[in-house]
Amino acid sequence: MTDPSASWVSGWDTSGFPADALPYGVCDAGQGPYIGVAIGDQVFDLAKAAAAGLLPDIDPAAVSTGTLNRLMRQGPARLQALRARLHELLQRDGPSIDRNAAELCLTDQSAVLQKTPVHVGDFTDFYASEHHALRSMRAVAPDAQLAANWYAMPVGYSSRAGAIVGDGVSIVRPSGQQRVAGQAVFAPSRMLDYEAEIGLIVCADSQHGRPVPIGSASDYLFGVSLLNDWSARDIQRWESQPLGPHLGKSFATQLGPWVLPLPALAGATWPNPTASRCLPYLRHAGQFLFDIEVEVTLASAAMRSAGLAPVTICQANARDLYWDAAQMIAHVTSNGAPLRVGDVLGTGTISGPALEQSACLLERTSGGRAPLELPDGTRRSYLEDGDELALHGQVRRRDGVVLSLGRLRATVGPADDRQWAVD
Amino acid sequence: MTDPSASWVSGWDTSGFPADALPYGVCDAGQGPYIGVAIGDQVFDLAKAAAAGLLPDIDPAAVSTGTLNRLMRQGPARLQALRARLHELLQRDGPSIDRNAAELCLTDQSAVLQKTPVHVGDFTDFYASEHHALRSMRAVAPDAQLAANWYAMPVGYSSRAGAIVGDGVSIVRPSGQQRVAGQAVFAPSRMLDYEAEIGLIVCADSQHGRPVPIGSASDYLFGVSLLNDWSARDIQRWESQPLGPHLGKSFATQLGPWVLPLPALAGATWPNPTASRCLPYLRHAGQFLFDIEVEVTLASAAMRSAGLAPVTICQANARDLYWDAAQMIAHVTSNGAPLRVGDVLGTGTISGPALEQSACLLERTSGGRAPLELPDGTRRSYLEDGDELALHGQVRRRDGVVLSLGRLRATVGPADDRQWAVD
């Protein structure tokens, strides 16, 4: 019997990268960047495949490049044909005529360096988890309630596209203004935090001045990736009145290495129970909540030296969000603001109802009052220099197949104090 | 005697574009975009000049293009050489050897269409006028005070780079959520406003993770232009808790047609009295307040039909800002966030102390309670469909010479109600 997940490539059934997932990434094995898809424990090189004549429908220049933007600009018909062709080439039960040529396009994933997958025009970050919004507010003020607007719209804000980086980076601890004992001081952040989110990658330009109706949202959504919205809570807290977070967020945001296209999410999408009781422009009967579990692990420098395994500090699921992807697209364009290919919408921290589903440390440690105990004997209210943080994403389909969104890793580096010695 | 302002091009002494101003813009007279400089009543075509061999130091490709980004990437030495060469070519008292060839590169400004001058990576908008901040808060809550952070840092936020447009556009009235009688409704904004600002254009990439010391700020500042940060006050008011303005701003921001480079501002720069009493990273003795007067005029459709002249609704000066350009550059990078060529920093509304110096209608009409009377017999709390708004910028040098920043015009178009008929 034909199993669309099965591939002739090794590891298809254990890696989270079966033949019907095929997430896109930008890869480099030393000879310049190219677009690859993950299959089993390998990367399939689309530039090489196009040059070998295996991908007749796609412009070779669109896959021999350092971002997915040009590929996304090929448009839905060509992208659909490409996906069908890749599945044909890589599935176990497909025609084997081009298999030898296809095999020459494979590289071990371990031998490939992955780059930030898209060139981001605008980055909008939402705040779509009620659990996150409430728990993080209450970490600071126990009786806090969400303002009424939160339940009327997916609240969000613009953040810094130029600060978006990819997997495996060092995050320099940011310095900034904080209020300490009633005084403004400038110092390295002592409340460095992560936020586990899902990134929604935009694949079409919308017309400036014309909102995207919610029924057309999927035309603009290429796929999803992991996203880590690094946050400095002390900087954020002092600066945010009245214009919202700025430098507490803009020092770095990480985008995951693999972008899983929307068709691959079939079987892992769910209706949104709240989508029937909002204003018409946000109302829909589609399935735009995604069953994506994100596990976050932490390993201190001491743990790594001692050979201790990373500890899991969060296990959350994007299906628990209150506002979904279609609503975010409809809302962000509802005033006529344009979307452009490569724009990224972040869902906001995807925390669930349980404390262990807290997708940032502000929530997990109740604002630092309940630090985590690490196996090296130290405690963590917020991140320390040398800490290695990793997000691991898994899409859970109804048929039991689990797809990987890959890992998104970073190490916290010390603050840059060179300039602050000078007055 | 040699007058560096004097040119052999007509209008140099009346247009605001003398030979030592030379603002850059992106122009198109029907044969594709090119970089031009304004001189007298003409535009000097750098693409044509480079092709004719008149600009030996500059890459012709950097001036035969639709944005200033590539020109800015030529770096300070080449930009300085280009400016010296342009002055040599265009001044009255310079060598006349290439004058005939230079004359062939001139086009009447009236025959040239001007484009948005830069491709904007990130757009950060500040809130740097104390007069604006206080008067606009008090238009809503008479006893309001600024939060303490306002006096400690140039408060700002990220906004939507993809919504940046140029001169002469139609601004579609945005729709969005507002709270009416305690209920959230989705409707066209009834509080459409402008905000007259100065745009600071960034000409160099800073290293991600490395703040720009305030003493190096001028290395990153190419020049200034007019900026109109369109605002929908009703949308903004309802959405802003707790993440700040979003859709109330992101529908459109206009950037002026001419970018006046920093050297042209010599003689119009002033020290900042507050720059000695802030935290060290914002402290400096430089001159980064600019004497730029912005006049805003309004003409309704009825006024234009009746042949009535536009009325002046604001006359403000960027010299009245509390936070200056160097402080904005130091602050926005203080957490290690990178600047990229083409980034734009908006100063925020440049209102001065007098009511007539209110650089937005929220202030000028006290939140609509004191509407403006127009010559057509109508009143304006906020902008109406068909209103034509124009910002006019003038740089005032100590030597009495006035340089033009050009005009930034827009007409308000009706809301797009096509999609909202469908539920």
Side-chain angles (χ1 to χ4, degrees):
Chain A
M1 205 183 84
T2 298
D3 175 355
S5 294
S7 172
W8 51 267
V9 179
S10 60
W12 69 268
D13 50 348
T14 53
S15 60
F17 298 118
D20 53 354
L22 303 178
Y24 293 98
V26 173
C27 306
D28 197 331
Q31 276 105 46
Y34 62 86
I35 309 300
V37 296
I39 175 73
D41 50 22
Q42 305 285 306
V43 171
F44 184 74
D45 179 338
L46 270 60
K48 211 178 265 183
L54 292 174
L55 306 174
D57 292 326
I58 213 82
D59 175 6
V63 289
S64 312
T65 167
T67 72
L68 293 177
N69 298 52
R70 197 158 168 181
L71 179 63
M72 294 191 287
R73 286 197 183 279
Q74 299 280 298
R78 286 188 168 182
L79 288 171
Q80 197 179 352
L82 173 63
R83 191 168 158 77
R85 175 62 179 153
L86 290 171
H87 189 244
E88 181 181 72
L89 283 169
L90 297 169
Q91 68 178 313
R92 185 186 61 197
D93 307 319
S96 57
I97 180 157
D98 289 321
R99 197 163 290 176
N100 288 342
E103 206 158 357
L104 295 174
C105 302
L106 295 176
T107 310
D108 268 12
Q109 274 175 36
S110 58
V112 167
L113 189 71
Q114 290 200 251
K115 315 285 231 178
T116 315
V118 288
H119 175 78
V120 181
D122 275 298
F123 168 41
T124 310
D125 203 29
F126 287 94
Y127 188 49
S129 158
E130 186 183 16
H131 309 292
H132 165 64
L134 281 173
R135 203 186 285 116
S136 56
M137 285 174 71
R138 290 175 181 168
V140 181
D143 298 323
Q145 297 291 339
L146 285 169
N149 65 337
W150 196 93
Y151 294 97
M153 71 176 79
V155 170
Y157 68 106
S158 295
S159 196
R160 195 159 197 90
I164 291 183
V165 293
D167 179 40
V169 297
S170 173
I171 300 291
V172 177
R173 178 180 299 276
S175 295
Q177 279 201 35
Q178 304 144 43
R179 188 166 47 178
V180 178
Q183 287 291 314
V185 300
F186 188 94
S189 171
R190 293 314 312 157
M191 299 171 75
L192 180 62
D193 203 353
Y194 76 96
E195 290 191 338
E197 308 191 7
I198 301 299
L200 309 171
I201 314 295
V202 171
C203 60
D205 294 339
S206 72
Q207 194 185 325
H208 197 166
R210 289 298 309 271
V212 173
I214 196 157
S216 304
S218 62
D219 298 345
Y220 295 83
L221 181 55
F222 180 70
V224 300
S225 71
L226 291 170
L227 192 148
N228 184 353
D229 180 33
W230 288 85
S231 300
R233 303 297 179 193
D234 33 17
I235 297 172
Q236 184 184 346
R237 203 164 289 164
W238 171 231
E239 73 182 349
S240 291
Q241 275 309 315
L243 302 184
H246 183 202
L247 300 181
K249 298 285 192 171
S250 68
F251 58 97
T253 304
Q254 274 185 288
L255 204 56
W258 294 116
V259 180
L260 195 66
L262 203 54
L265 289 168
T269 64
W270 292 83
N272 184 350
T274 66
S276 60
R277 45 175 206 257
C278 43
L279 284 168
Y281 81 105
L282 296 172
R283 205 179 289 166
H284 69 99
Q287 303 201 355
F288 285 91
L289 286 175
F290 307 135
D291 190 344
I292 303 176
E293 187 164 284
V294 180
E295 184 186 2
V296 183
T297 60
L298 176 66
S300 68
M303 286 168 64
R304 299 200 303 283
S305 298
L308 296 169
V311 289
T312 295
I313 59 170
C314 162
Q315 208 146 10
N317 195 306
R319 198 183 150 184
D320 288 327
L321 294 174
Y322 186 98
W323 297 104
D324 63 44
Q327 293 170 322
M328 292 176 201
I329 289 171
H331 185 65
V332 82
T333 62
S334 62
N335 64 349
L339 288 174
R340 294 178 295 176
V341 170
D343 283 356
V344 171
L345 311 180
T347 57
T349 314
I350 61 166
S351 305
L355 183 65
E356 294 69 27
Q357 293 170 312
S358 296
C360 65
L361 288 170
L362 169 63
E363 293 176 63
R364 187 68 179 79
T365 70
S366 298
R369 288 188 306 280
L372 294 169
E373 310 273 347
L374 297 189
D376 64 5
T378 63
R379 308 200 304 169
R380 285 293 176 282
S381 294
Y382 292 98
L383 296 168
E384 300 288 343
D385 291 353
D387 283 355
E388 191 176 275
L389 193 91
L391 277 56
H392 310 256
Q394 291 196 317
V395 176
R396 297 169 179 273
R397 295 197 322 212
R398 285 186 187 78
D399 64 5
V401 174
V402 172
L403 312 181
S404 176
L405 274 183
R407 293 179 299 185
L408 184 53
R409 297 161 296 180
T411 309
V412 175
D416 172 8
D417 57 3
R418 281 170 285 191
Q419 87 165 103
W420 316 120
V422 186
D423 182 344
Chain B
M1 205 183 84
T2 298
D3 175 356
S5 294
S7 173
W8 50 267
V9 180
S10 60
W12 69 267
D13 50 348
T14 54
S15 61
F17 298 119
D20 52 355
L22 303 178
Y24 292 98
V26 174
C27 306
D28 197 331
Q31 275 105 46
Y34 62 87
I35 308 301
V37 296
I39 176 71
D41 51 21
Q42 305 284 304
V43 171
F44 184 74
D45 179 338
L46 270 59
K48 210 177 266 184
L54 292 175
L55 306 174
D57 291 325
I58 213 81
D59 175 6
V63 288
S64 313
T65 167
T67 71
L68 293 178
N69 297 53
R70 196 159 169 181
L71 179 62
M72 294 191 288
R73 284 197 185 281
Q74 298 279 299
R78 287 188 168 181
L79 288 172
Q80 197 180 353
L82 173 63
R83 190 169 158 77
R85 174 63 178 153
L86 290 172
H87 188 246
E88 181 181 73
L89 283 169
L90 296 169
Q91 67 178 313
R92 186 187 59 196
D93 307 317
S96 57
I97 179 158
D98 290 320
R99 197 163 289 177
N100 288 342
E103 205 157 357
L104 295 174
C105 302
L106 294 176
T107 310
D108 267 12
Q109 273 176 36
S110 58
V112 167
L113 189 70
Q114 290 199 252
K115 316 285 233 178
T116 316
V118 287
H119 176 78
V120 181
D122 276 298
F123 168 41
T124 309
D125 203 29
F126 286 93
Y127 188 48
S129 158
E130 185 183 17
H131 308 293
H132 165 65
L134 281 173
R135 203 187 284 117
S136 56
M137 285 175 71
R138 291 176 181 168
V140 182
D143 297 323
Q145 296 290 341
L146 286 169
N149 65 339
W150 196 94
Y151 294 97
M153 70 176 78
V155 169
Y157 68 107
S158 295
S159 195
R160 194 159 198 90
I164 290 183
V165 293
D167 178 41
V169 298
S170 172
I171 300 292
V172 178
R173 178 181 297 279
S175 295
Q177 279 201 36
Q178 305 144 43
R179 187 164 47 178
V180 178
Q183 288 291 312
V185 299
F186 188 94
S189 171
R190 295 314 312 159
M191 298 170 77
L192 180 61
D193 204 353
Y194 76 95
E195 290 191 338
E197 308 191 5
I198 300 299
L200 309 171
I201 315 296
V202 171
C203 60
D205 294 339
S206 73
Q207 194 185 327
H208 197 165
R210 290 299 307 271
V212 173
I214 197 157
S216 304
S218 61
D219 298 345
Y220 294 83
L221 180 55
F222 181 68
V224 299
S225 71
L226 291 170
L227 191 148
N228 184 352
D229 179 33
W230 288 85
S231 301
R233 303 296 178 192
D234 33 18
I235 297 172
Q236 183 184 347
R237 203 164 290 165
W238 171 231
E239 74 182 349
S240 292
Q241 276 308 316
L243 301 184
H246 184 201
L247 300 181
K249 299 284 193 172
S250 68
F251 57 97
T253 303
Q254 273 184 288
L255 204 56
W258 294 117
V259 180
L260 195 65
L262 202 53
L265 289 168
T269 63
W270 292 83
N272 184 350
T274 66
S276 59
R277 43 176 208 258
C278 45
L279 284 168
Y281 81 105
L282 296 172
R283 204 179 291 167
H284 70 99
Q287 303 202 356
F288 285 91
L289 287 176
F290 306 135
D291 189 343
I292 303 177
E293 187 163 283
V294 180
E295 183 186 3
V296 183
T297 61
L298 176 66
S300 68
M303 286 168 65
R304 299 200 302 283
S305 298
L308 295 169
V311 289
T312 295
I313 59 172
C314 162
Q315 209 146 9
N317 194 307
R319 197 182 151 184
D320 287 328
L321 293 174
Y322 186 98
W323 297 104
D324 64 43
Q327 292 170 323
M328 293 177 200
I329 289 171
H331 185 65
V332 81
T333 62
S334 63
N335 64 348
L339 287 175
R340 295 178 294 176
V341 171
D343 283 356
V344 171
L345 311 181
T347 56
T349 313
I350 60 165
S351 305
L355 183 65
E356 294 69 27
Q357 293 170 311
S358 295
C360 66
L361 288 169
L362 169 62
E363 292 175 64
R364 187 67 180 78
T365 70
S366 297
R369 288 189 306 279
L372 293 170
E373 310 274 347
L374 297 189
D376 63 5
T378 63
R379 307 202 305 171
R380 286 292 176 282
S381 295
Y382 292 98
L383 296 168
E384 300 290 343
D385 291 352
D387 283 355
E388 191 175 275
L389 192 91
L391 276 56
H392 310 257
Q394 292 195 317
V395 176
R396 297 170 179 271
R397 295 199 320 214
R398 285 187 188 78
D399 63 5
V401 173
V402 173
L403 312 181
S404 175
L405 273 183
R407 293 179 301 184
L408 184 53
R409 296 160 300 179
T411 309
V412 175
D416 172 8
D417 57 2
R418 281 170 287 191
Q419 87 165 102
W420 316 120
V422 186
D423 181 344

mmCIF file of all heavy atoms in Angstrom, chain B residues 29-44:
data_model
loop_
_atom_site.group_PDB
_atom_site.id
_atom_site.type_symbol
_atom_site.label_atom_id
_atom_site.label_comp_id
_atom_site.label_asym_id
_atom_site.label_seq_id
_atom_site.Cartn_x
_atom_site.Cartn_y
_atom_site.Cartn_z
ATOM 1 N N ALA B 29 11.474 61.039 -15.122
ATOM 2 C CA ALA B 29 10.837 61.914 -16.103
ATOM 3 C C ALA B 29 10.267 61.066 -17.235
ATOM 4 O O ALA B 29 10.052 61.554 -18.346
ATOM 5 C CB ALA B 29 11.833 62.937 -16.627
ATOM 6 N N GLY B 30 10.029 59.778 -16.940
ATOM 7 C CA GLY B 30 9.407 58.916 -17.944
ATOM 8 C C GLY B 30 10.325 57.861 -18.528
ATOM 9 O O GLY B 30 9.864 56.938 -19.195
ATOM 10 N N GLN B 31 11.647 58.002 -18.249
ATOM 11 C CA GLN B 31 12.584 56.998 -18.786
ATOM 12 C C GLN B 31 13.213 56.134 -17.686
ATOM 13 O O GLN B 31 14.333 55.659 -17.845
ATOM 14 C CB GLN B 31 13.710 57.687 -19.581
ATOM 15 C CG GLN B 31 13.336 57.981 -21.028
ATOM 16 C CD GLN B 31 13.056 59.468 -21.232
ATOM 17 O OE1 GLN B 31 13.814 60.307 -20.765
ATOM 18 N NE2 GLN B 31 11.969 59.772 -21.912
ATOM 19 N N GLY B 32 12.483 55.947 -16.609
ATOM 20 C CA GLY B 32 13.022 55.119 -15.538
ATOM 21 C C GLY B 32 13.663 55.979 -14.472
ATOM 22 O O GLY B 32 14.034 57.125 -14.715
ATOM 23 N N PRO B 33 13.768 55.430 -13.245
ATOM 24 C CA PRO B 33 14.224 56.239 -12.119
ATOM 25 C C PRO B 33 15.727 56.514 -12.150
ATOM 26 O O PRO B 33 16.510 55.713 -12.657
ATOM 27 C CB PRO B 33 13.866 55.374 -10.911
ATOM 28 C CG PRO B 33 13.866 53.982 -11.428
ATOM 29 C CD PRO B 33 13.436 54.057 -12.860
ATOM 30 N N TYR B 34 16.086 57.639 -11.602
ATOM 31 C CA TYR B 34 17.496 58.005 -11.448
ATOM 32 C C TYR B 34 17.628 58.874 -10.208
ATOM 33 O O TYR B 34 16.644 59.408 -9.697
ATOM 34 C CB TYR B 34 18.013 58.749 -12.682
ATOM 35 C CG TYR B 34 17.312 60.052 -12.970
ATOM 36 C CD1 TYR B 34 17.734 61.246 -12.380
ATOM 37 C CD2 TYR B 34 16.223 60.104 -13.851
ATOM 38 C CE1 TYR B 34 17.086 62.441 -12.639
ATOM 39 C CE2 TYR B 34 15.560 61.293 -14.116
ATOM 40 C CZ TYR B 34 16.006 62.468 -13.500
ATOM 41 O OH TYR B 34 15.355 63.657 -13.749
ATOM 42 N N ILE B 35 18.850 59.003 -9.724
ATOM 43 C CA ILE B 35 19.110 59.888 -8.596
ATOM 44 C C ILE B 35 19.338 61.292 -9.145
ATOM 45 O O ILE B 35 20.121 61.486 -10.076
ATOM 46 C CB ILE B 35 20.360 59.440 -7.804
ATOM 47 C CG1 ILE B 35 20.273 57.963 -7.417
ATOM 48 C CG2 ILE B 35 20.544 60.316 -6.567
ATOM 49 C CD1 ILE B 35 19.104 57.576 -6.579
ATOM 50 N N GLY B 36 18.642 62.245 -8.541
ATOM 51 C CA GLY B 36 18.823 63.641 -8.928
ATOM 52 C C GLY B 36 19.143 64.496 -7.724
ATOM 53 O O GLY B 36 18.884 64.104 -6.583
ATOM 54 N N VAL B 37 19.738 65.658 -7.963
ATOM 55 C CA VAL B 37 19.832 66.659 -6.900
ATOM 56 C C VAL B 37 19.074 67.891 -7.368
ATOM 57 O O VAL B 37 19.053 68.213 -8.561
ATOM 58 C CB VAL B 37 21.288 67.045 -6.510
ATOM 59 C CG1 VAL B 37 22.035 65.867 -5.926
ATOM 60 C CG2 VAL B 37 22.036 67.643 -7.673
ATOM 61 N N ALA B 38 18.446 68.544 -6.406
ATOM 62 C CA ALA B 38 17.707 69.767 -6.717
ATOM 63 C C ALA B 38 18.675 70.939 -6.746
ATOM 64 O O ALA B 38 19.480 71.118 -5.829
ATOM 65 C CB ALA B 38 16.623 69.998 -5.664
ATOM 66 N N ILE B 39 18.610 71.744 -7.797
ATOM 67 C CA ILE B 39 19.422 72.952 -7.920
ATOM 68 C C ILE B 39 18.557 74.013 -8.612
ATOM 69 O O ILE B 39 18.099 73.785 -9.741
ATOM 70 C CB ILE B 39 20.738 72.670 -8.694
ATOM 71 C CG1 ILE B 39 21.529 73.973 -8.907
ATOM 72 C CG2 ILE B 39 20.500 71.944 -10.005
ATOM 73 C CD1 ILE B 39 22.151 74.508 -7.636
ATOM 74 N N GLY B 40 18.323 75.111 -7.904
ATOM 75 C CA GLY B 40 17.431 76.136 -8.468
ATOM 76 C C GLY B 40 16.074 75.526 -8.774
ATOM 77 O O GLY B 40 15.514 74.767 -7.974
ATOM 78 N N ASP B 41 15.558 75.839 -9.946
ATOM 79 C CA ASP B 41 14.262 75.264 -10.322
ATOM 80 C C ASP B 41 14.420 73.999 -11.160
ATOM 81 O O ASP B 41 13.482 73.530 -11.794
ATOM 82 C CB ASP B 41 13.410 76.302 -11.059
ATOM 83 C CG ASP B 41 14.173 76.962 -12.204
ATOM 84 O OD1 ASP B 41 15.175 76.370 -12.687
ATOM 85 O OD2 ASP B 41 13.776 78.073 -12.618
ATOM 86 N N GLN B 42 15.615 73.425 -11.132
ATOM 87 C CA GLN B 42 15.932 72.266 -11.954
ATOM 88 C C GLN B 42 16.290 71.046 -11.089
ATOM 89 O O GLN B 42 16.569 71.183 -9.899
ATOM 90 C CB GLN B 42 17.148 72.568 -12.848
ATOM 91 C CG GLN B 42 16.994 73.812 -13.711
ATOM 92 C CD GLN B 42 16.067 73.559 -14.900
ATOM 93 O OE1 GLN B 42 16.299 72.651 -15.681
ATOM 94 N NE2 GLN B 42 14.992 74.344 -15.013
ATOM 95 N N VAL B 43 16.296 69.889 -11.746
ATOM 96 C CA VAL B 43 16.881 68.673 -11.165
ATOM 97 C C VAL B 43 18.108 68.319 -11.993
ATOM 98 O O VAL B 43 18.027 68.287 -13.234
ATOM 99 C CB VAL B 43 15.890 67.493 -11.199
ATOM 100 C CG1 VAL B 43 16.585 66.203 -10.795
ATOM 101 C CG2 VAL B 43 14.715 67.761 -10.291
ATOM 102 N N PHE B 44 19.205 68.072 -11.319
ATOM 103 C CA PHE B 44 20.424 67.633 -11.992
ATOM 104 C C PHE B 44 20.462 66.104 -11.945
ATOM 105 O O PHE B 44 20.432 65.497 -10.869
ATOM 106 C CB PHE B 44 21.650 68.235 -11.300
ATOM 107 C CG PHE B 44 22.953 67.917 -11.982
ATOM 108 C CD1 PHE B 44 23.306 68.546 -13.171
ATOM 109 C CD2 PHE B 44 23.823 66.996 -11.428
ATOM 110 C CE1 PHE B 44 24.519 68.257 -13.800
ATOM 111 C CE2 PHE B 44 25.034 66.702 -12.055
ATOM 112 C CZ PHE B 44 25.384 67.331 -13.242
#
